[in-house]
Amino acid sequence: MREIDQDIWVAEQPLQYFGLSVGTRMTVIRLEKQELLVISPIELDDTIVRQLQQIETV
């Protein structure tokens, strides 16, 4: 994941759709209560799980 602004991160992943390579992106936003809002989640791997846990509670 990479931070694109204060309290906003994105993670990108390849995705094939009807034979086209379109990719997908997950957005993570830290809310005022220090909770995380995950928009359009991607398939998680150990690295992304660890990164999310370091930021806050999903």
Side-chain angles (χ1 to χ4, degrees):
M1 288 193 324
R2 63 185 168 90
E3 189 170 10
I4 59 170
D5 203 348
Q6 182 178 343
D7 297 330
I8 301 175
W9 297 263
V10 295
E12 297 170 336
Q13 193 172 65
L15 174 69
Q16 292 282 332
Y17 186 74
F18 288 107
L20 298 173
S21 180
V22 293
T24 186
R25 178 181 297 146
M26 172 177 74
T27 304
V28 179
I29 301 171
R30 186 181 357 227
L31 304 174
E32 289 180 18
K33 295 180 179 182
Q34 301 304 310
E35 297 172 327
L36 299 179
L37 171 65
V38 177
I39 301 169
S40 191
I42 60 175
E43 185 176 334
L44 298 178
D45 60 22
D46 291 339
T47 302
I48 293 176
V49 170
R50 277 193 308 277
Q51 290 172 333
L52 287 170
Q53 290 172 338
Q54 288 175 355
I55 299 171
E56 281 301 330
T57 302
V58 177

